[in-house]
Amino acid sequence: MSDKPTENVVPVTEAPKDAPAAEGEKGPSKGALKKAAKEKEKAEKAAKRKAEEEAQKKAADANDISKEDYGELPMLGSQPYVPPTEKVPRVNLAEVAEEYKDTSKMDEAGGPQIVFRGIVENARAQGAKLTFITFRQGLDTIQAVVAESETLSRQMVKFAGKIPAESVVLVHGLVKKPKELVKSTTIQHLELHVKKLFVVAKADSQLPMQVTDAERPIPGDGEEEKTEDDGRPIVTLNTRLNNRVIDLRGKHNTAIFTIKDGVIALFQEFLRSKKFVGVNSPRLLGAPSEGGASVFEVKYFNTKAFLAQSPQLYKQMLIASRFERVMEVGPIFRAENSNTARHLTEFTGLDMEMAFEEDYHEVVGLLEELMLYIFNGLRTRYGRETDLVRSIYQVEEFKLPEAGKVPRLPFSEGVQMLRDDGVEIGDFDDLSTPDEKRLGALVLKKYGTDFYVLDKYPLAIRPFYTMPSAETQAAYDPKNPNAGTSNSYDFFMRGQEIMSGAQRIHDAAFLEKRMRECVTPVDPKSEGLRDYVNAFRYGCPPHAGGGIGLERIVMLWLGLPNVRLASLFPRDPSRLSP
């Protein structure tokens, strides 16, 4: 069969575009035609203008004397690395500020050249020929000038003024003595005249929150919608934690977590000098070990496990293993639905345990020395960071007692002080948070210190492994086995508990007895406790220790209003990210 069309087939063709409209159809109106012509003319003018601008820009770029001295660098790692033939050492701004502390001999015409990587805190264009930039490195900031000259182009000035805040940049510049002190930066006696400026990592121009907003105090209760005098809204704690990466860029946060690391270093430094050995105990347990009421259950292969509430039982087992002085820094998990300003579900514990010779107060005395060592170390080594944070929250300096004069009050004396101040409280009642804060104020007034110890707590409010006091054991009543006091103690800062400790029971038979008769009985033969109890059947020296909450030390030393500010990525009953 042929593909050739038959004679009866009439080919269909389109009508010419300029053909008149068929009868009954209307063509474009004169107004529409006029509008289309105007749009066409407008588009042609825009295209012409754009072409002219591109040509001008191309010509300007060709004549840009600084074109090799600024711009956005390719992403590091996207190209093969070729070591520079002449590598200029990168410097630290703090070291530069110290090296050129004396500016009396600085030459205004010249100046030492430096190269460093920093952050653009802000960039302010002052017309077409001048831009001011504040660069930041750690806690240090310096003012820089980018000014048009015979060797620096206007294009470079414009580029500098448009760099978004928080961008990472590589800077080459001359160190100069400013005409007057630069009060807006931490380095006030120097300024930088930029010669080369490259963007290493560009930040988005629109951030979910500003770093400067994070450097102000968080609003108090009921101040969620409050604004500052200048009209800026106060950024709430929840907003800050939701955008924690930006929030942590605040200089005060750098200070907070530098101090937090310092507490750990001082803790280990002191205890190592006292022959303590650092250990790492398990955080996954096969069974709840301290009552099981507030533990996190997790899936563990085909069974279940629990996150450790503390390393307490393992510390004691290590004492029985002949490690007579142990310390540990590690995470603690508490499944308590506490939505307060001082509770977290995951925090860092500073734990220690040691064998003693004759009396548990040997351990209390060493712990007092430890805390004074940490406090004095923070004063002398981290004064700048401490002052920076306290200046935001307007907190008074932490008052310390003299060495050897830490107030060590029997629990009964603390109760009496509260009663004398009008508080109704029983002899063996546990202290509420308001009671603790009130007692802290009374101790400060009487002894002139924010740091003190309460000793001889009621037995009924302490864990099963706590040694009853000698007086309590002598007056033992099987009908009321939890009456009396114990060889236990708490340490306080600004009226809030930071550490709980005690002499532990080191005799297996007595331990089993106390486990069965304590306020919340536990089974010494249970899976989670059997190995622990057996450890004391092989001969274990008397021992005591304590567990310190790291975040609480930081919070109370600095006067922070919420413990979450002392946790990088806090976990509480309502927060599991970021």
Side-chain angles (χ1 to χ4, degrees):
M1 184 176 179
S2 172
D3 291 330
K4 184 177 180 181
T6 62
E7 293 179 1
N8 295 328
V9 177
V10 179
V12 178
T13 59
E14 291 184 3
K17 291 183 179 180
D18 56 352
E23 187 177 350
E25 293 182 4
K26 293 183 178 180
S29 66
K30 291 183 178 179
L33 292 171
K34 188 175 181 181
K35 183 178 180 182
K38 284 186 176 180
E39 291 294 334
K40 181 180 179 183
E41 182 182 1
K42 185 178 178 181
E44 288 173 347
K45 286 182 178 179
K48 182 179 180 182
R49 185 167 57 249
K50 184 178 179 182
E52 289 174 350
E53 288 174 352
E54 288 179 350
Q56 289 174 359
K57 184 178 182 300
K58 190 173 182 181
D61 290 343
N63 297 319
D64 185 355
I65 56 175
S66 301
K67 62 183 176 182
E68 301 296 328
D69 296 335
Y70 70 94
E72 293 186 30
L73 296 177
M75 182 176 66
L76 196 61
S78 65
Q79 299 178 358
Y81 174 66
V82 179
T85 54
E86 189 176 333
K87 189 171 183 179
V88 182
R90 308 283 176 90
V91 300
N92 181 283
L93 289 179
E95 294 172 354
V96 171
E98 182 63 27
E99 183 177 355
Y100 301 106
K101 187 161 52 177
D102 180 7
T103 60
S104 60
K105 298 180 181 178
M106 293 192 77
D107 182 5
E108 292 184 5
Q113 181 169 328
I114 63 170
V115 180
F116 68 94
R117 190 169 74 187
I119 307 298
V120 173
E121 195 166 85
N122 61 67
R124 309 176 307 281
Q126 305 290 312
K129 298 182 179 182
L130 179 65
T131 288
F132 288 100
I133 303 179
T134 299
F135 293 119
R136 175 184 167 188
Q137 207 181 60
L139 294 181
D140 298 293
T141 54
I142 191 170
Q143 177 176 278
V145 178
V146 188
E148 183 182 9
S149 68
E150 293 180 355
T151 57
L152 196 148
S153 68
R154 187 173 297 192
Q155 293 95 318
M156 181 172 171
V157 174
K158 182 179 179 181
F159 170 83
K162 291 187 175 182
I163 299 176
E166 294 302 305
S167 296
V168 182
V169 292
L170 179 63
V171 186
H172 297 240
L174 299 180
V175 178
K176 299 276 192 176
K177 176 183 177 181
K179 293 181 179 179
E180 56 185 36
L181 293 179
V182 183
K183 296 181 179 180
S184 61
T185 57
T186 63
I187 300 174
Q188 300 183 350
H189 64 291
L190 299 174
E191 72 176 8
L192 192 69
H193 287 207
V194 174
K195 297 303 176 185
K196 296 182 182 181
L197 182 59
F198 302 100
V199 174
V200 177
K202 189 175 182 179
D204 288 348
S205 57
Q206 293 294 324
L207 300 177
M209 61 177 281
Q210 298 300 313
V211 175
T212 52
D213 292 332
E215 294 181 330
R216 292 179 290 155
I218 62 170
D221 294 337
E223 294 183 333
E224 293 294 311
E225 303 301 325
K226 184 178 177 182
T227 59
E228 291 283 11
D229 294 338
D230 59 6
R232 292 185 303 168
I234 293 179
V235 180
T236 64
L237 177 60
N238 195 51
T239 299
R240 296 182 189 201
L241 297 181
N242 287 341
N243 299 280
R244 191 58 162 158
V245 169
I246 297 176
D247 182 49
L248 286 172
R249 293 179 178 183
K251 287 187 282 294
H252 71 293
N253 274 322
T254 301
I256 288 172
F257 293 100
T258 299
I259 288 169
K260 187 175 182 179
D261 179 63
V263 173
I264 295 173
L266 291 162
F267 171 82
Q268 295 176 325
E269 190 176 288
F270 176 84
L271 291 181
R272 283 200 175 94
S273 74
K274 301 295 182 182
K275 310 303 181 185
F276 279 73
V277 175
V279 297
N280 303 100
S281 61
R283 289 301 182 269
L284 282 171
L285 308 180
S289 58
E290 296 187 43
S294 57
V295 294
F296 288 109
E297 181 180 317
V298 297
K299 184 178 180 181
Y300 191 73
F301 298 105
N302 295 321
T303 183
K304 60 184 177 182
F306 304 88
L307 297 179
Q309 293 168 287
S310 82
Q312 180 57 47
L313 306 190
Y314 288 100
K315 289 191 302 177
Q316 291 184 251
M317 293 166 74
L318 286 167
I319 298 295
S321 302
R322 304 296 182 252
F323 289 82
E324 294 205 349
R325 294 190 171 200
V326 295
M327 63 176 174
E328 180 168 10
V329 178
I332 305 292
F333 301 93
R334 298 283 170 88
E336 298 167 348
N337 194 20
S338 297
N339 292 285
T340 73
R342 67 176 200 162
H343 285 91
L344 293 168
T345 53
E346 179 185 351
F347 60 93
T348 304
L350 305 178
D351 276 89
M352 60 82 71
E353 201 79 17
M354 64 176 278
F356 60 83
E357 296 294 330
E358 298 173 341
D359 182 75
Y360 78 97
H361 286 110
E362 297 168 25
V363 182
V364 178
L366 185 138
L367 282 166
E368 291 171 351
E369 288 182 49
L370 165 65
M371 295 311 303
L372 290 179
Y373 185 85
I374 291 173
F375 297 147
N376 285 311
L378 292 178
R379 269 186 178 175
T380 56
R381 303 186 199 180
Y382 300 91
R384 181 188 182 190
E385 290 83 358
T386 296
D387 291 343
L388 171 61
V389 180
R390 287 183 184 166
S391 69
I392 293 176
Y393 288 99
Q394 304 300 314
V395 178
E396 292 185 7
E397 185 174 352
F398 191 86
K399 294 178 175 60
L400 287 176
E402 296 179 23
K405 295 185 178 181
V406 177
R408 190 188 298 173
L409 313 177
F411 185 85
S412 57
E413 183 178 334
V415 167
Q416 189 58 52
M417 290 176 68
L418 287 170
R419 284 176 179 161
D420 293 344
D421 198 50
V423 178
E424 293 183 7
I425 185 172
D427 289 345
F428 299 104
D429 291 348
D430 199 0
L431 300 183
S432 66
T433 298
D435 289 342
E436 288 181 352
K437 291 182 178 180
R438 195 161 183 175
L439 181 58
L442 294 172
V443 170
L444 176 61
K445 183 177 180 181
K446 183 175 181 178
Y447 296 98
T449 174
D450 284 310
F451 171 59
Y452 64 96
V453 180
L454 277 186
D455 192 18
K456 296 287 184 181
Y457 267 74
L459 180 62
I461 61 175
R462 305 303 272 199
F464 62 79
Y465 44 73
T466 305
M467 180 69 76
S469 66
E471 297 80 7
T472 295
Q473 293 186 54
Y476 175 74
D477 179 2
K479 294 181 180 179
N480 192 11
N482 296 298
T485 60
S486 62
N487 292 349
S488 62
Y489 40 86
D490 281 359
F491 283 36
F492 292 85
M493 292 175 64
R494 299 189 195 268
Q496 296 194 55
E497 176 208 329
I498 58 161
M499 191 204 76
S500 183
Q503 178 184 352
R504 327 298 187 180
I505 298 172
H506 59 282
D507 178 86
F510 188 48
L511 177 60
E512 287 181 316
K513 182 173 182 295
R514 282 297 306 150
M515 292 169 80
R516 291 191 176 98
E517 67 185 13
C518 69
V519 174
T520 306
V522 293
D523 181 5
K525 298 189 183 299
S526 66
E527 186 178 354
L529 295 168
R530 183 175 58 248
D531 294 330
Y532 164 72
V533 175
N534 286 339
F536 304 108
R537 302 188 192 281
Y538 318 130
C540 178
H543 57 280
I548 305 168
L550 173 59
E551 286 79 4
R552 282 208 188 162
I553 291 181
V554 175
M555 175 182 75
L556 295 167
W557 173 257
L558 295 172
L560 302 177
N562 196 301
V563 72
R564 288 157 186 77
L565 296 172
S567 176
L568 283 170
F569 299 98
R571 296 290 178 258
D572 59 34
S574 61
R575 180 171 293 278
L576 202 54
S577 66

